[in-house]
Amino acid sequence: MKTEDGADDTALFTTEGHTGVITLNRPRALNALTHSMVLRIAEALTAWEQDPAVVQVLIRGAGERGLCAGGDIRAIHDDAKAGGDASEGFWRDEYRLNARIARYPKPYVALMDGIVMGGGVGVSAHGSVRVVTERSRVAMPETGIGFVPDVGGTHLLARAPGELGTHLALTGTAVGAADALLCGLADHFVPAARLPELTAALADAPAHEVPARFAQQPAPGELAGWRAWIDRCYAADTVEEIVERLLAEGDPAAKEAAETILAKSPTSLKVTLAALRRARRLGSLERVLEQEFRVSCHALRAPDLVEGIRAQVVDKDRNPRWSPPAPAEVTGADVERFFAPLGEARELRLP
């Protein structure tokens, strides 16, 4: 999207009082991230870090549908289909931005209103002050498009209590405010109608004080009541055993989770489970992002990514033909290929 003078207005940068404000400005595309947006956000963070007049940063989405639905997956589909490397360049800069946000020396406030998925989680949930509303739907839905949670998503989900993160990663389930708070993906619940007041207050008050003025208790979520069977079932070592345990629970919600998992890419499910377990051992966000970069680059050359995006976004027939079609047919060697070194020149290296 360009203005009349040819400037890129897909992300807007303003200062309100002592707060630098980032507005993702592609409302018709649910503010999906492009490479240009990622680079421009990074530039703004650099400028504001060096500007003593800016003491904190706020990120929000234009429109009322969501902060950000993720990366531009149609562009990734076209790149993968053509055998290109544009997606690899996008992810390299996107993951650097995710790490930058997590270590940013000034408070970074994210308004996670509406849809916040994939790359939207990456530009918000690594922030220091994360606000959800009654409209929030937070998810890492990558297994449904033949991909694997990235943007530090495996780091965040690996740190969720018990096996809640494994449930969210494999099913791709979107959670509301209470469950986002429970899983450690957000810090405060503020009614959407009060976000303009909150934003105005940030102009002249510290970020760590403002949300508490507006915060309330959200409506109850679902995950706390499911915690027992989630921890029991998802502690299994394989996707196949997780599904078996879910089906044996006798709980309708567990059965629904099993059916949801079985509709996802079998390869993505197995790689996701391995990535989560490895993320727990890797510890730091930077090491996990480096692992995710390897996995993403290998996924770009695997058949399920193109097929998954085709079925969900391009043709919208919702009938992906996964290869292989069942988890039992995905071997350990198949999974390990996603974690194989890329070669020194291509690896992502984060300080």
Side-chain angles (χ1 to χ4, degrees), residues 1-9:
M1 193 156 52
K2 303 281 187 180
T3 60
E4 287 183 8
D5 61 2
D8 184 344
D9 67 351

Side-chain angles (χ1 to χ4, degrees), residues 137-156:
R137 303 301 294 163
V138 184
M140 296 299 295
E142 286 78 7
T143 56
I145 58 165
F147 198 45
V148 177
D150 66 336
V151 299
T154 59
H155 174 77
L156 293 165

Side-chain angles (χ1 to χ4, degrees), residues 109 120 257 335 339:
V109 183
V335 172
F339 297 91

Side-chain angles (χ1 to χ4, degrees), residues 4 12 25 33 50-51 80 88 97 103 106-108 122 144 149-150 155 199 221 255 266 279 286 303 316 321 339:
E4 287 183 8
L12 305 176
N25 190 39
L33 291 172
Q50 298 163 357
D51 185 349
E88 189 170 317
L97 177 62
R103 306 291 182 209
K106 299 180 179 182
Y108 182 101
D150 66 336
H155 174 77
T199 302
K255 180 174 184 286
E286 286 79 6
K316 299 182 180 178
R321 294 178 290 278
F339 297 91

Side-chain angles (χ1 to χ4, degrees), residues 11 37 50 64 101 114 179 253 317 349:
M37 291 165 74
Q50 298 163 357
E64 296 190 346
I101 289 166
D179 288 334
D317 60 23
R349 301 291 184 201

Side-chain angles (χ1 to χ4, degrees), residues 72-219:
D72 188 338
I73 58 173
R74 189 180 284 265
I76 293 170
H77 167 275
D78 295 346
D79 184 46
K81 199 170 179 181
D85 59 6
S87 299
E88 189 170 317
F90 168 63
W91 290 325
R92 186 182 299 278
D93 289 323
E94 184 183 25
Y95 300 176
R96 283 175 175 155
L97 177 62
N98 303 144
R100 177 87 179 279
I101 289 166
R103 306 291 182 209
Y104 201 60
K106 299 180 179 182
Y108 182 101
V109 183
L111 301 186
M112 301 172 68
D113 184 33
I115 291 174
V116 185
M117 297 185 179
V121 172
V123 295
S124 60
H126 298 300
S128 49
V129 181
R130 305 161 302 172
V131 177
V132 285
T133 76
E134 73 280 4
R135 303 188 297 203
S136 295
R137 303 301 294 163
V138 184
M140 296 299 295
E142 286 78 7
T143 56
I145 58 165
F147 198 45
V148 177
D150 66 336
V151 299
T154 59
H155 174 77
L156 293 165
L157 295 175
R159 291 155 59 99
E163 296 293 338
L164 293 178
T166 312
H167 170 69
L168 297 184
L170 296 185
T171 62
T173 299
V175 296
D179 288 334
L181 292 166
L182 174 63
C183 291
L185 300 172
D187 306 300
H188 305 279
F189 168 75
V190 175
R194 302 206 69 188
L195 292 183
E197 291 176 77
L198 185 155
T199 302
L202 282 169
D204 56 13
H208 65 275
E209 293 179 3
V210 172
R213 296 187 206 165
F214 302 92
Q216 298 180 16
Q217 280 296 114

